[in-house]
Amino acid sequence: MSADPKGAGGRAGRPPAQRAVKRPPAGRPVRDNPVRTLVTRARKAWDRPLTAYYLILGGSSLITVLGLVMVYSASQVTALQMALPGSYFFRKQLLAAVIGAGLLLAASRMPVKLHRALAYPILAGAVFLMALVQVPGIGMSVNGNQNWISLGGSFQIQPSEIGKLALVLWGADLIARKQEKRLLTQWKHMLVPLVPVAFMLLGLIMLGGDMGTAIILTAILFGLLWLAGAPTRLFVGVLSVAALIGLVLVKTSPNRLDRFACVGSTDVSKCWQAVHGIYALASGGLFGSGLGASVEKWGQLPEAHTDFIFAVTGEELGLAGTLSVLALFAALGYAGIRVAGRTEDPFVRYAAGGVTTWIVAQAVINIGAVLGLLPIAGVPLPLFSYGGSALLPTMFAIGLMIAFARDEPAARAALAMRQPRFGRKRAGGSAAGRKTGRKPGRTQGRKPGRETGGGSGRASGRGSGQGSGQGSGQGPRRWNTMRRRASAARSSGER
């Protein structure tokens, strides 16, 4: 009995189960969420070993270049009012930036041991210069503060700026040595001699009346104590003593009392500089009035190119410009925290934390004063405001951070695997010339045992280089390069 082909199997002779299957339409690949993909890529890029290195180098460079542009724009009117060329302050700032770039490069190439060796000489030099400021005939007063030494002509130096760098290096080296000897568990070793030396520097600064710089040094001191793991009682005790001393200094100075009274004030007659700084920011709008088109810098806003350069930036570049500056400082601060948190060297941790505290605290105090949220302290915006005395130590500190970021184990391995692109091409071209220009008898005269004997990887690598790379000569070189990269990646633990 024969089976009916059109019976239970259907007209086409296929089982019903196969007819019920619905195949998905072709040409419709499953698409991932673009936002999730972007976030994943951003996280991978953010977690790369060289992220901190690029953030410090790129962020500091952008802040310095933008600061040069704004110094040129904000200082032209002031220079013309002083019967000087319009580019006078810009040229001095550019010279300081060039010298600072050399200091940054030198500091970024120094080993950590050399940085630690320089801590004590820099501290001794800073103390000597800060004491020399108080000698009559040598020290000079600027805007009521006697914290300057004239170098001849129009060049001056402010030793208290060097004191910030000295406290960071010396304090980091001191705490690191005590941690290696396990002495930080005792409160006396935590405080002595770090706090007495810091108070000595603060006393020398306050003899000249510069309370703004003294606040920055106090912030560095507390940053070092916090990184060293000071107990809460000890931290609060030192903070209370510093706050009491600051309160006494403010109460005994009418000028400082007036600055505190100008916080959030709109009275132009009493708070001229603070109110006109707000006017400059308010008139900038979203994208500003244009580079060089500020109105407040025409004699209305004092110190437009130094302490209140952020207000001119807001007027000429608008909210977009000010937010860009804030983002660059935020990236710089994050990179410093990342370097301090990922290192195993105690000196690197304390020095990186001290530099980060220095730059971030000074930027917050300057910008807060321009916004009317903090009293005017008279401190410049780091890497941005006019002033070579402030720029040079700050750029050396940035070079210090770059050296620390390069010294991380993962960053060292990543930098070791990087090779110059153009140098690799030149090396390949020269190898090709040597391979094509050699005598034929040299290849033919080789022993066959050299090709077949030894390891299989050696034979396959040489064979592929001679077979497919006769004209270019890239086979063996490319294989060896990948081998070096693979071994470096395995040794460093990276994927």
Side-chain angles (χ1 to χ4, degrees):
M1 185 174 179
S2 62
D4 187 8
K6 295 184 180 181
R11 294 183 179 180
R14 293 177 298 180
Q18 293 183 359
R19 287 187 302 171
V21 173
K22 295 182 179 181
R23 296 181 180 179
R28 289 185 180 181
V30 180
R31 296 182 180 180
D32 295 334
N33 190 355
V35 178
R36 184 179 301 176
T37 304
L38 182 61
V39 171
T40 304
R41 291 181 179 179
R43 287 180 178 178
K44 290 182 179 179
W46 202 253
D47 291 335
R48 289 179 179 177
L50 294 176
T51 298
Y53 170 74
Y54 287 130
L55 283 178
I56 296 172
L57 181 60
S60 59
S61 301
L62 289 175
I63 294 173
T64 305
V65 172
L66 184 58
L68 287 172
V69 174
M70 294 311 304
V71 164
Y72 181 65
S73 176
S75 64
Q76 289 182 355
V77 178
T78 305
L80 294 175
Q81 289 176 349
M82 299 172 62
L84 296 171
S87 60
Y88 173 77
F89 293 104
F90 169 73
R91 286 181 294 174
K92 290 185 63 177
Q93 187 73 359
L94 181 61
L95 177 62
V98 172
I99 299 175
L103 291 176
L104 185 148
L105 182 61
S108 64
R109 296 296 179 178
M110 289 182 184
V112 176
K113 292 183 179 179
L114 183 56
H115 285 298
R116 300 186 68 168
L118 289 177
Y120 287 86
I122 292 178
L123 177 64
V127 171
F128 174 75
L129 292 176
M130 291 167 69
L132 203 62
V133 168
Q134 308 303 324
V135 177
I138 298 179
M140 58 182 301
S141 178
V142 177
N143 295 330
N145 296 334
Q146 187 169 352
N147 283 313
W148 298 82
I149 296 177
S150 177
L151 299 179
S154 60
F155 293 94
Q156 305 166 356
I157 185 174
Q158 189 176 4
S160 57
E161 296 291 339
I162 307 176
K164 300 175 185 177
L165 178 64
L167 181 60
V168 168
L169 288 177
W170 177 80
D173 180 71
L174 175 69
I175 299 176
R177 291 178 186 273
K178 291 195 173 186
Q179 180 177 342
E180 293 171 357
K181 297 179 181 179
R182 299 181 180 180
L183 298 175
L184 292 181
T185 55
Q186 306 176 19
W187 66 270
K188 59 181 181 180
H189 287 287
M190 182 80 68
L191 295 180
V192 181
L194 177 63
V195 176
V197 171
F199 274 79
M200 178 188 64
L201 295 175
L202 291 173
L204 291 174
I205 292 174
M206 290 307 301
L207 284 177
D210 189 2
M211 190 171 182
T213 306
I215 294 174
I216 305 301
L217 253 73
T218 306
I220 295 174
L221 172 63
F222 286 118
L224 291 174
L225 289 176
W226 183 77
L227 289 170
T232 306
R233 296 179 182 178
L234 185 64
F235 197 83
V236 173
V238 178
L239 182 61
S240 302
V241 173
L244 181 61
I245 295 175
L247 182 62
V248 172
L249 293 174
V250 171
K251 287 289 186 180
T252 55
S253 175
N255 184 22
R256 298 189 185 112
L257 284 175
D258 293 339
R259 292 185 181 185
F260 273 91
C262 289
V263 176
S265 176
T266 57
D267 190 357
V268 185
S269 60
K270 296 182 179 180
C271 306
W272 179 274
Q273 187 179 22
V275 174
H276 277 277
I278 298 296
Y279 288 168
L281 290 171
S283 60
L286 186 59
F287 296 104
S289 58
L291 192 61
S294 172
V295 176
E296 292 293 333
K297 68 182 180 183
W298 287 84
Q300 302 295 326
L301 181 62
E303 306 297 334
H305 61 294
T306 54
D307 300 343
F308 272 71
I309 194 172
F310 189 76
V312 180
T313 304
E315 186 179 5
E316 294 186 352
L317 302 182
L319 182 64
T322 55
L323 289 181
S324 299
V325 175
L326 290 176
L328 290 174
F329 276 109
L332 204 58
Y334 167 79
I337 294 174
R338 175 169 172 163
V339 171
R342 294 194 174 190
T343 183
E344 297 180 357
D345 190 341
F347 172 78
V348 173
R349 182 184 304 112
Y350 299 136
V355 172
T356 305
T357 305
W358 164 15
I359 295 177
V360 172
Q362 187 166 331
V364 168
I365 292 174
N366 178 276
I367 296 174
V370 174
L371 295 176
L373 303 176
L374 295 174
I376 301 174
V379 295
L381 191 59
L383 301 172
F384 201 83
S385 297
Y386 169 78
S389 296
L391 183 63
L392 294 181
T394 308
M395 294 193 74
F396 186 89
I398 293 296
L400 194 75
M401 297 282 290
I402 293 175
F404 294 159
R406 291 168 56 95
D407 198 53
E408 292 183 9
R412 283 202 307 264
L415 289 172
M417 287 190 297
R418 291 175 54 187
Q419 294 184 1
R421 181 179 302 176
F422 297 101
R424 191 163 60 243
K425 288 183 178 180
R426 287 196 298 269
S430 60
R434 289 194 302 268
K435 186 177 284 293
T436 54
R438 64 188 179 186
K439 297 180 180 180
R442 184 177 178 181
T443 2
Q444 296 175 0
R446 287 179 181 170
K447 296 180 180 180
R450 294 185 61 183
E451 295 295 334
T452 56
S456 60
R458 180 178 176 182
S460 61
R462 187 171 296 168
S464 61
Q466 291 180 359
S468 61
Q470 282 288 344
S472 60
Q474 294 291 332
R477 184 174 299 276
R478 186 176 303 169
W479 186 83
N480 292 334
T481 303
M482 294 301 296
R483 182 178 180 182
R484 287 195 299 269
R485 291 184 178 180
S487 61
R490 286 193 298 268
S491 62
S492 62
E494 292 185 337
R495 297 292 184 268

